[in-house]
């Protein structure tokens, strides 16, 4: 028995001794051998904290420094379910928040949003006090305006509790999001960044490496409450903010383009509209737009993915008669264009194929110059195929850049297609059929004529700068690709194109005529080609106009294309679609640039005596009387704007050439909200000059002279809407002040407008019977579906070329 007890005691004692030795060994290993590593790990996991410092994304500006895209404050809506449940006001909060969020987001249904919020709050039966939920996407990164409404709602809820500032379970977490101050302005060019902060398209995606910056960090030791320890060693790496991008876009011209396109879109209902405005001397893009468009601040509301396509670079189509520029320039350069030579219009046989003019029967035996004005296909077949020959024609097509990408600094560009093998294919190519091009290719080709014969590289990025120092990181200068024709040829082509616009009898571009300015341009109408079918779609057209002004010293070139506008099957109306839009854009832009009219124009009153030649004097800091005395000798009348002792600025600018009797505007008052004077009775040109001078956006309805005006907004966002009437209507119905308008006058005005629209309708009907700009080359099957095929990453629009 004693031996057994001793043995058990020895075993138990040995076990405890072994356990103690193992424990001591483990403690030694942890404390000594592996101690340093474990301490470091604990510091990383529990004692240390690293905070990521996000950089500010670079802003995007127009050519004059006006903001087009920037980072701005935002808020994310958070809900604390337990607090809401304890307060017993869940339904009130659900309804209130759903109403606010649905009102701020037009694509959201309030009833559906109520169900969504309610389900999120009832996802669990029991919530902890620190549990917080978000309502995505409706409550994620909302703007400050919506956040202010929620704050007011919170105050309303708190007012119902006896204790002040009682938590109601609604929190707004500060965030940063991308904001586009001008809304849809230049949306296809700028693109957008989504709520996750990822760039999706446009300049935002293309220049993301410049715009996004580099994140920084802050690393420090903390106690168990998260407070930084006083003895901790911090590591700090500051964030590098993203670079700023300055574009060549002029925000005012961009506005003029989009305003004109919207009117055209509302009237003619095309599938899409595209316009490009450039400085033809540098090929800097001054404006680029598409309709339909989207608002990058509310990109989620855009349902059709086709609305995001930038057709200016990503779509190709048969150009039609605007392509005749190439044939004309080549014929003049090669010395085979004789404007007074005669040819038989109507039809021509090439190999076994009959080609014809848009009216099929032609105009008899006419000169080549008349053929240009009437946009005769036969004239250009004879010039391109018979006089130039296929090889020379192809050489000039290549020289003008067709069939190859322009290299524009906008992503998604396609090259177009130029493929000619047989004589009929060369023949139809002379007037823009059987090959495809992009709007930017045609814009560059016309700019080569406007600038004296040089094909330039089109670009939209002006420079990239450091946001802190302003230092230029990268600058984009104009580049000459090659000379396509001589300056003499370019000048001659421009003068012929001017007659296409100025000849109000037979010129197909006559609706683009701008009184007081020399305008050169060309129309184009092309019949659709449908895939898998022979021939062209009956009654469906691609309509375009490209032109520039002033002819002697071009400052702006605008190209516009309408995809399948509603012409009611009457192609003669094609020139009514894009040419008026061109006229509106260019006339407003020239005034904005301070380019005064240089051509004598008809006056409704007795013209003043021609002013002596000279330049506009500088009237800055002069009194109004002194300014009038200084300009009196030039026959210039001075009109003051605002009230003040001295002239602050003037329009036209000092040094502007004086081309005849003119009116000068002088600003006498500082500030952004200078009163807009009454413009009643003034021509649209004079009214636009005042708008440009005061930096007020201007839009107009009707034609003729100002009969009424309405101003909305403040500062740079002011918009002046002008109602125009013809001179005859103004004489018959003098402009009444707003306070004098009665129901009777309203009825009279409506009656006048009705009478005017009746006259317009008759005139349009009469016009439809005359020779139009375009016609069909080949009859095809009727089909109501539009064609847009993806080719080389872009949308392809094929159409038969027409004048």
């Amino acid at each position: 028995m004693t031996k057994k007890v001793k043995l058990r005691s020895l075993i138990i004692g040995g076990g405890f001794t072994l356990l103690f030795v193992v424990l001591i060994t483990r403690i030694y290993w942890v404390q000594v051998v592996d101690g340093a590593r474990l301490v470091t790990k604990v510091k990383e996991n529990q004692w240390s904290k690293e905070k990521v410092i996000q950089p500010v994304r670079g802003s995007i500006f127009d050519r004059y420094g006006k903001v087009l895209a920037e980072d701005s404050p935002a808020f994310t809506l958070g809900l604390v379910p337990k607090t809401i449940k304890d307060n017993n006001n869940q339904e009130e909060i659900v309804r209130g928040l759903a109403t606010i969020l649905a009102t701020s987001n037009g694509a959201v249904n309030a009833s559906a949003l109520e169900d969504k919020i309610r389900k999120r709050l009832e996802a669990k039966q029991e919530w902890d006090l620190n549990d917080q939920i978000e309502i995505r996407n409706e409550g994620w990164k909302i703007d400050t305006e919506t956040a202010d409404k929620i704050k007011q709602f919170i105050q309303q809820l708190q007012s119902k509790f006896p204790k002040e500032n009682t938590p109601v379970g609604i929190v707004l977490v500060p965030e940063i999001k991308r904001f586009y101050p001008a809304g849809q302005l230049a949306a296809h060019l700028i693109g957008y960044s989504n709520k996750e902060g990822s760039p999706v398209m446009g300049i935002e995606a293309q220049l993301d490496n410049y715009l996004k910056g580099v994140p920084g960090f802050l690393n420090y030791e903390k106690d168990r409450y998260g407070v930084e320890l006083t003895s901790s060693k911090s590591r700090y790496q500051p964030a590098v903010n993203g670079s700023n991008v300055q574009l060549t876009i002029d925000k005012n011209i961009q506005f003029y383009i989009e305003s004109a396109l919207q009117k055209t879109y509302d009237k003619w209902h095309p599938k899409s509209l595209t316009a490009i405005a450039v400085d033809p001397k540098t090929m800097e893009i001054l404006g680029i737009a598409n309709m339909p468009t989207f608002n990058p601040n509310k990109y989620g509301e855009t349902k059709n993915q086709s609305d995001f396509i930038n057709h200016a670079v990503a779509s190709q189509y048969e150009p039609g008669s605007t392509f005749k520029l190439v044939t004309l320039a080549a014929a003049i350069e090669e010395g085979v264009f004789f404007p007074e030579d005669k040819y038989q219009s109507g039809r021509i046989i090439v190999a076994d194929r009959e080609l014809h003019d848009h009216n099929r029967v032609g105009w008899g035996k006419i000169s080549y110059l008349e053929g240009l004005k009437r946009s005769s296909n036969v004239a250009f077949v004879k010039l391109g195929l018979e006089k130039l020959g296929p090889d020379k024609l192809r050489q000039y097509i290549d020289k003008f850049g067709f069939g190859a990408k322009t290299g524009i600094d906008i992503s998604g560009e396609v090259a177009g297609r130029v493929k000619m093998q047989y004589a009929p294919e060369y023949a139809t190519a002379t007037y823009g059929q059987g090959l495809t091009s992009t709007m930017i290719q045609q814009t560059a080709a016309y700019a080569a004529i406007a600038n004296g014969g040089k094909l330039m590289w089109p670009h939209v990025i002006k420079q990239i700068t450091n946001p802190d120092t302003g230092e230029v990181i990268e600058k984009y200068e104009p580049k000459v690709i090659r000379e396509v024709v001589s300056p003499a040829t370019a000048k001659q082509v421009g003068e012929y194109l001017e007659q296409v616009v100025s000849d109000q009898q037979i010129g197909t571009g006559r609706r683009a005529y701008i009184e007081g300015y020399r305008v050169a341009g060309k129309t184009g109408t092309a019949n659709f080609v449908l895939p898998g079918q022979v021939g062209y779609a009956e009654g469906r057209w691609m309509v375009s106009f490209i032109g520039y002004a002033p002819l002697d010293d071009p400052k702006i070139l605008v190209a516009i294309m309408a995809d399948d506008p509603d012409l009611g099957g009457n192609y003669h109306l094609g020139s009514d679609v894009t040419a008026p839009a061109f006229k509106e854009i260019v006339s407003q832009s020239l005034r904005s640039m301070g380019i005064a009219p240089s051509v004598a124009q008809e006056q409704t009153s007795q013209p003043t005596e021609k002013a002596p030649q000279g330049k506009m004097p500088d009237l800055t800091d002069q009194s109004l009387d002194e300014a009038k005395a200084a300009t009196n000798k030039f026959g210039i009348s001075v009109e003051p704007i605002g009230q003040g002792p001295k002239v602050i600025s003037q329009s036209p600018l000092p040094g502007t050439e004086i081309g005849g009797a003119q009116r000068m505007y002088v600003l006498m008052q500082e500030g952004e909200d200078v009163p807009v004077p009454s413009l009643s009775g003034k021509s649209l040109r004079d009214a636009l000059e005042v708008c440009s001078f005061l930096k007020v956006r201007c839009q107009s309805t009707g034609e003729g002279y100002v009969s009424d005006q309405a101003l909305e907004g403040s500062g740079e966002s002011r918009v002046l809407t002008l109602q125009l009437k013809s001179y005859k209507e103004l004489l018959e119905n003098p402009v009444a002040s707003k306070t004098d308008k009665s129901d009777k006058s309203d009825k009279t005005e409506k009656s006048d407008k009705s009478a005017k629209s009746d006259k317009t309708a008759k005139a349009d009907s009469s016009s439809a019977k005359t020779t139009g700009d375009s016609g069909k080359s080949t009859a095809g099957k009727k089909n109501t579906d539009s064609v847009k095929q993806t080719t080389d990453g872009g949308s392809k629009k094929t159409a038969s070329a027409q004048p």
Side-chain angles (χ1 to χ4, degrees), residues 48 157 201 278 354:
S48 67
L157 294 173
M201 59 175 284
V278 301
E354 178 182 304

Side-chain angles (χ1 to χ4, degrees), residues 332-333 452-453 483 485-496:
I332 294 174
E333 181 76 358
E483 184 175 286
V485 293
S486 67
T489 295
K491 184 176 184 295
Q492 200 168 355
V493 172
E495 290 173 349
Y496 290 138

Side-chain angles (χ1 to χ4, degrees), residues 326-337 380-394 396 430:
V326 177
T327 308
L328 176 63
I332 294 174
E333 181 76 358
E334 295 298 323
V336 297
F337 180 76
F380 283 85
V381 172
K382 295 182 76 65
L383 284 174
L385 196 61
E386 295 181 5
K387 295 193 175 186
L388 279 174
D391 292 340
K392 279 288 183 185
L393 177 64
R394 179 57 193 258
Y396 278 93
T430 64

Side-chain angles (χ1 to χ4, degrees), residues 114-400:
E114 283 186 24
D115 293 339
K116 181 177 181 178
I117 297 174
R118 190 178 294 111
K119 288 179 180 178
R120 292 285 286 120
L121 289 171
E122 296 173 352
K124 288 169 57 177
Q125 288 187 348
E126 296 295 331
W127 295 89
D128 294 331
L129 187 59
N130 59 351
D131 287 337
Q132 182 174 305
I133 61 173
E134 295 179 359
I135 308 300
R136 295 200 177 189
N137 288 322
E138 297 82 0
W140 184 31
K141 290 191 176 182
I142 58 178
D143 55 36
T144 52
E145 183 179 353
T146 305
D148 288 341
K149 293 178 182 179
I150 293 177
K151 289 175 183 178
Q152 293 176 2
F153 180 57
I154 292 173
Q155 291 175 355
Q156 293 175 9
L157 294 173
Q158 288 177 332
S159 65
K160 298 178 182 180
F161 292 98
K163 188 177 180 181
E164 190 177 354
N165 296 328
T166 300
V168 296
I170 302 175
V171 295
L172 291 170
V173 182
E175 302 259 20
I176 294 291
K177 76 169 185 176
R178 201 64 166 164
F179 178 62
Y180 304 90
Q184 68 180 33
L185 202 73
H188 291 88
L189 173 64
I190 299 169
Y192 68 92
S193 289
N194 59 25
K195 288 186 176 181
E196 289 86 354
S198 301
V200 177
M201 59 175 284
I203 295 295
E204 289 280 24
Q206 183 180 336
L207 297 182
D208 183 50
N209 287 337
Y210 287 102
L211 290 165
K212 66 183 180 181
V214 180
F217 64 86
L218 174 62
N219 186 285
Y220 59 90
E221 294 178 353
K222 63 175 184 175
D223 62 14
R224 63 194 183 102
Y225 299 106
V227 178
E228 183 179 357
L229 299 174
T230 56
S231 60
S232 69
K233 294 181 180 180
S234 300
R235 291 187 303 117
Y236 170 65
Q237 177 67 49
V240 178
N241 292 331
S243 301
N244 291 334
V245 174
Q246 186 175 17
L247 304 178
T248 61
I249 294 295
D250 183 320
K251 191 175 180 181
N252 288 340
I253 293 177
Q254 183 72 32
F255 174 79
Y256 300 148
I257 291 173
E258 296 195 18
S259 178
L261 289 190
Q262 187 65 62
K263 294 175 187 176
T264 305
Y265 189 79
D266 293 341
K267 182 176 182 179
W268 297 100
H269 313 293
K271 294 289 188 299
S272 67
L273 266 172
T274 302
I276 308 172
V278 301
D279 178 346
K281 296 176 184 176
T282 63
M283 270 308 288
E284 289 184 341
I285 294 177
L286 303 175
I288 184 169
N290 295 271
M291 289 286 170
T293 186
F294 65 96
N295 187 337
N297 294 312
K298 302 177 180 179
Y299 61 88
E301 296 181 10
T302 304
K303 302 303 181 184
N304 299 321
Q305 287 301 308
S306 60
D307 292 353
F308 292 108
I309 298 174
N310 188 348
H311 296 294
V313 297
S315 296
Q316 54 181 312
Y317 56 93
E318 291 191 2
S321 290
T322 50
F323 193 82
K324 290 175 180 175
L325 172 88
V326 177
T327 308
L328 176 63
I332 294 174
E333 181 76 358
E334 295 298 323
V336 297
F337 180 76
F338 302 100
E340 298 307 320
D341 280 2
K342 306 287 185 179
Y343 75 99
Q344 182 63 43
S345 64
R347 70 189 186 97
I348 188 172
I349 304 297
V350 178
D352 59 346
R353 183 173 175 184
E354 178 182 304
L355 306 175
H356 50 76
D357 287 324
H358 53 83
N359 68 348
R360 293 185 176 271
V361 297
W363 306 271
K365 200 165 188 177
I366 61 174
S367 70
Y368 279 95
L369 180 57
E370 183 176 344
L372 170 63
K373 293 180 185 180
R374 293 187 182 277
S375 201
S376 165
N377 292 342
V378 174
F380 283 85
V381 172
K382 295 182 76 65
L383 284 174
L385 196 61
E386 295 181 5
K387 295 193 175 186
L388 279 174
D391 292 340
K392 279 288 183 185
L393 177 64
R394 179 57 193 258
Q395 178 184 334
Y396 278 93
I397 290 174
D398 293 341
K399 284 177 70 175
F400 272 93

